[in-house]
Structure formats: structure tokens, C-alpha cells
Amino acid sequence: MLKFDFANIFNNKIPNGINKDTINDNKKIIEESINNIKNNNPGFVELVLSRKWIDSVLDINNFVKSFDNLVVIGIGGSALGNIALQNTLRPLNWNNFSKNERKGNLRIFIIDNVDPDYVSSILDSIDLKKTLFNVISKSGSTAEAMSNYLVARGLIETCGLSPRKHLIFTTDPKKGVLRKIAKEENILTLEIPENVGGRFSVLSPVGLLSAMAAGINIEELYDGAKSAYYRTINENIWNNPAALIALIHFLYYQKGRNISVMMAYSNKLYYLADWYRQLWAESLGKAYSKDGKKIHIGQTPVKALGAVDQHSQIQLYNEGPNDKIITFLKTESFDRDIKIPYIHIDENSLNYLHGKSLSQLLNNELLGTETALAQNGKPSLRITFPKINEFNVGEFIMYYELATTIAGDLFNVNPFDQPGVELGKKITYALMGRNGFEEYRPSISDEGIEI
Ligand code: PA5
């Protein structure tokens, strides 16, 4: 189970900080928000309270495991959850393992951009005959996902392979071009439930298929997520991580802390910070309040990696403006550890390292950074993973999806839409010559000034 430490949030060195009374004063609005979640389970909660979605991927386990590679094609909420699950729950060099070492599970590649160098580098490294492509798009229309689908399909056809045997779509149950093609060509599909948006979809077939393909225990992911949900709806605010995370971020935002840094002291957990970045940004960064007032609100999420960013960001966090609240992610148990050897034993400046482990150094660096920030009056909280496993990652995902929903009520915005993404998409369609989008084509003067 995850452990949460909020002590440095209530540190009295923080200028214009918050105290425990401030939390108690907001109990009512938090209770209302949680009751709302309890009474009208959001789609991302419904997912984990049913076996339907787990079963939908387990049903095709044998088909999936007949391949050696799975290439996921998607972007945003259709990719970031997959990337997070793969990198937190599999060794970071998983794709270099032999099939034996992978115990028959698949190598996983996730194509979430249309940079041709990047796409080619992935497509060049796989044997198409042994590859299944999972095209994920809720809308079935996103330009990046659709073009990478066409590229992949072009290759499949050029190699004389049957697209139907190498493709599986994950998309809306009714709408979109992927659904249409799947019906026409009898291509295997998985559903993204209508009431689950991209960035809340990691525990739907969006993330479950690649997780299962890589041998991740998806039942335990769900167990962790369910335990986080039940704790959130049953516990009072002081024993309620999702509610506290939402409330302290909101309260500090009101006090000018408009940046939320998530700093992971683990390369694996860093991918959760990446997933969080989209969730917090797209859900809470809004022009209008729920009641239609122009508010331009939102807290900018930033990801950071310890110890690397101690040598890049920490100067700013310690001494720069009072505009940040920081969340540290820590693990108490790495999969592997490395002892620092006794070399140069007479060197005074090195012998404090001899015989220590890298994990010990990293976690002491975390403690050092956290303590320095506290002494400088900067608020932070810490989330500890006793181990990075499926249960704890499932918990983390659900806590943050719930915290984002509660924060939506506090910030008074709809956390489930993203109207600000639409205009850029439409202009891109116009620039690429898509029919019906001509009016969005920028005029010459909008196209920039090159010097
Ligand atoms: O969270 C979201 O809704 C977005 O980030 C989408 O996931 C992203 O735009 C991709 O959309 P789609 O799955 O429709 O291709």
C-alpha cells in the first residue's frame, strides 16, 4: 500500500502557508464532491468495479501471445497510460530481453508521435510477421494516430501480410472511422467505454491490452485501484489521500503556487509523473467555469527526475519564486541494487561512498532535497511506494484520477473535457487539406515571420 506524508505541507516556515484548520474549514465541499463521486460513479471508477474490461482482454490472450511484438499506436490519453504501465512495471530494458527471459510475453513499442525519424526507428527494429499493431483512438479521427495507422497498414500490405491478422483496434463502441473499418473488414476490436475520456482510460482496454501482453498482472492493478477508490469514498479527509492532494493543491494555487512539480526519485516512477502531467493539465486548465464564467484557471504540472534534476531545477525550486508545490515519489525497494565498490580506498573525498548502495544514495538525496526545501519554506508532500508493483501503481492511478475529479469541483471546472485542444486540431486538418475545415486555414500573416 502507498504511504503519504503531508508534514511538509503544514510547515510553519512556508510564507502564507496553510494549516490544519484550513483543511478542516473545507471539509464540507470535499464531502460534497466525494458524495457526488459515490452517487454517480465516473466512468473511470465504473471500469474497475466490473470484470468486463479485464475479461475482454483476457479472452484474446492466446491470440496476442502468438506474436512476439506489440506496437501500440495512439497519442495523449491513448498512449501515456500505456507508457506509464510499461515503464513502471517492466524492467526499463524489457525490449532487449530474449523471448525466454520474457517468459513468452511480448516486447512492447509505443508510437505516440509522427516524427518520421522516431516512427522509422521503431518500425525498422521489428519483424512484421511477428508483430501485432494495436491502434488506439477513442474518437477514431486523431490525425497522428490515424496517419501512423495508415503507415503501419501500408507496411503490412506491402509485405503481403493480412491486415486483419496483424491489427487490433481499441476505440469507441459506436463512433469513428476505426469502428467503421473494423466492421467492414472484421478486424478485432476492444471498446473504450463511452463515458471514459482518454486521460482517464488507462485502466480500460486502452492500457490493459499492452499490460497483459507484457505479462503485467492486470487483476492486481485493479485490486490496487479498487482499494484506493473505497478508501476515498469511505474515509474522512485526514485519512483520504485523494481529497488531501486535491485540496492542498487548490489551496496553494489560491496562494499563488500555480505550478505543481512531481519529482520522482526513480526512473520508473518518472513515467507516472509524465502521465500525471497530462491528467492535471488537460483536466484543470480551463477558460470557463462550470457555470460559464471566463476564469482562465489551472495549475501547471511539471515533471522532474531525482537525482538528475537536482543539478538542473533544484536551485530554482529552493530559491526562486514561491509559485510551486512539490510532490516527491519514492520507492523503498528497487528491483535491483548496486553496491559501490572499494576502489581508491585512500581517497578521503570518495571513501564515504565505499560499500554503500546506489539506492541508499538516491533515497538520501531525496531526503536532503526535501529537507532543504522545507527549510527554505517550500511546501512538499511525499508518496512512497514500498515496492513498485501492480497493486501500488493501480492505487496511484486511481488516487490521482479521483484527486483530479475532486480538484475539478474545487477549481469549479469540468475536468472531463478539453475544448482547448480542438482549435489546433482543426487548423492542422485545414493545413493538411481535410475537407470541411477550409475556414480554419491560417492567413499568410498568421504563418510566422521567418528571419
Ligand atoms: O485525454 C484526452 O482526451 C486526449 O488526450 C486524447 O486521449 C487524445 O487527444 C487522443 O484522442 P483519441 O484517443 O481520440 O485519438
Side-chain angles (χ1 to χ4, degrees):
M1 242 170 89
L2 296 178
K3 297 188 259 187
F4 296 82
D5 189 327
F6 293 96
N8 289 329
I9 286 294
F10 302 109
N11 168 7
N12 57 19
K13 287 201 172 124
I14 300 170
N16 197 16
I18 60 174
N19 58 38
K20 298 192 176 164
D21 292 340
T22 337
I23 300 291
N24 290 327
D25 292 346
N26 284 281
K27 267 186 179 162
K28 201 161 170 294
I29 177 163
I30 292 292
E31 275 167 17
E32 274 170 24
S33 180
I34 290 177
N35 276 335
N36 196 22
I37 291 174
K38 203 165 22 178
N39 298 331
N40 320 290
N41 277 340
F44 68 84
V45 168
E46 271 180 4
L47 286 176
V48 301
L49 300 181
S50 131
R51 276 208 60 93
K52 178 174 176 189
W53 310 105
I54 289 202
D55 287 342
S56 74
V57 298
L58 291 178
D59 281 351
I60 55 169
N61 185 45
N62 288 346
F63 167 69
V64 173
K65 295 283 169 69
S66 67
F67 293 91
D68 202 24
N69 309 308
L70 178 73
V71 176
V72 174
I73 292 176
I75 195 163
S78 293
L80 285 162
N82 292 276
I83 296 173
L85 292 182
Q86 292 302 321
N87 286 295
T88 48
L89 295 170
R90 296 288 79 172
L92 291 163
N93 57 346
W94 173 253
N95 284 348
N96 297 336
F97 284 22
S98 68
K99 192 157 188 173
N100 251 354
E101 288 168 322
R102 284 184 268 119
K103 301 198 173 81
N105 295 305
L106 278 63
R107 298 197 292 165
I108 311 290
F109 301 86
I110 299 164
I111 303 186
D112 72 338
N113 202 1
V114 283
D115 172 339
D117 288 332
Y118 162 74
V119 175
S120 329
S121 71
I122 295 180
L123 295 176
D124 282 351
S125 60
I126 50 166
D127 177 352
L128 277 189
K129 289 196 281 312
K130 298 181 183 165
T131 302
L132 176 64
F133 289 87
N134 179 206
V135 184
I136 308 180
S137 177
K138 172 94 192 275
S139 61
S141 66
T142 309
E144 298 86 348
M146 290 306 104
S147 30
N148 283 331
Y149 157 62
L150 295 172
V151 169
R153 183 166 179 145
L155 266 185
I156 294 171
E157 289 180 5
T158 313
C159 293
L161 300 167
S162 152
R164 214 169 62 78
K165 292 191 179 143
H166 289 265
L167 285 168
I168 171 164
F169 295 160
T170 306
T171 191
D172 187 272
K174 296 187 194 121
K175 293 187 295 230
V177 72
L178 286 181
R179 179 60 59 186
K180 180 169 167 271
I181 298 168
K183 267 194 199 139
E184 283 165 8
E185 300 188 25
N186 202 15
I187 291 173
L188 201 55
T189 54
L190 292 166
E191 279 181 21
I192 310 175
E194 271 170 305
N195 59 352
V196 178
R199 58 193 173 276
F200 291 89
S201 70
V202 50
L203 298 177
S204 79
V206 167
L208 293 180
L209 180 73
S210 61
M212 178 193 74
I216 290 169
N217 188 328
I218 55 181
E219 314 258 358
E220 281 178 20
L221 262 181
Y222 264 43
D223 288 346
K226 278 188 278 192
S227 109
Y229 169 67
Y230 287 119
R231 183 169 177 189
T232 305
I233 59 164
N234 289 322
E235 290 295 336
N236 76 61
I237 191 156
W238 287 107
N239 191 18
N240 198 321
L244 279 176
I245 288 169
L247 184 56
I248 60 177
H249 279 79
F250 173 67
L251 293 172
Y252 271 120
Y253 176 82
Q254 287 188 314
K255 291 170 180 290
R257 296 189 179 271
N258 55 11
I259 298 175
S260 161
V261 179
M262 186 173 276
M263 185 161 190
Y265 274 74
S266 146
N267 283 61
K268 288 180 156 200
L269 296 178
Y270 187 44
Y271 291 92
L272 289 179
D274 203 19
W275 171 82
Y276 159 74
R277 203 164 60 110
Q278 183 209 16
L279 187 68
W280 207 247
E282 262 188 18
S283 304
L284 304 174
K286 298 287 153 76
Y288 292 97
S289 66
K290 284 188 194 173
D291 43 346
K293 296 203 185 72
K294 210 165 200 168
I295 50 172
H296 292 296
I297 214 164
Q299 192 171 42
T300 304
V302 169
K303 58 174 178 166
L305 175 65
V308 176
D309 286 325
Q310 285 178 202
H311 304 270
S312 155
Q313 301 290 296
I314 286 297
Q315 166 63 32
L316 171 74
Y317 300 175
N318 265 314
E319 294 192 355
N322 287 320
D323 59 358
K324 295 173 199 66
I325 165 169
I326 296 161
T327 302
F328 289 106
L329 303 185
K330 170 182 175 175
T331 177
E332 283 171 339
S333 158
F334 293 83
D335 291 344
R336 313 261 303 266
D337 211 347
I338 298 177
K339 271 251 172 324
I340 302 173
Y342 288 82
I343 297 174
H344 303 300
I345 44 173
D346 299 328
E347 247 341 305
N348 266 342
S349 61
L350 293 180
N351 60 18
Y352 73 100
L353 295 171
H354 292 141
K356 308 277 173 40
S357 62
L358 291 187
S359 67
Q360 198 177 354
L361 175 60
L362 190 56
N363 278 340
N364 277 319
E365 299 219 38
L366 191 165
L367 191 56
T369 304
E370 194 178 47
T371 310
L373 283 164
Q375 286 179 9
N376 282 315
K378 311 292 181 182
S380 71
L381 65 116
R382 187 191 333 119
I383 304 177
T384 302
F385 288 68
K387 198 171 168 36
I388 305 176
N389 60 21
E390 283 88 341
F391 187 93
N392 294 334
V393 170
E395 249 189 302
F396 179 92
I397 288 169
M398 182 54 75
Y399 278 133
Y400 268 93
E401 290 180 339
L402 290 166
T404 306
T405 309
I406 298 168
D409 286 338
L410 296 167
F411 282 91
N412 193 22
V413 295
N414 176 1
F416 303 118
D417 67 2
Q418 55 285 325
V421 185
E422 294 308 311
L423 181 61
K425 277 192 186 177
K426 286 177 181 153
I427 297 172
T428 307
Y429 289 149
L431 289 167
M432 294 296 285
R434 181 168 173 182
N435 284 340
F437 290 86
E438 296 75 7
E439 63 179 296
Y440 294 99
R441 197 178 164 83
S443 63
I444 304 274
S445 62
D446 291 337
E447 281 176 356
I449 304 170
E450 277 188 20
I451 56 167

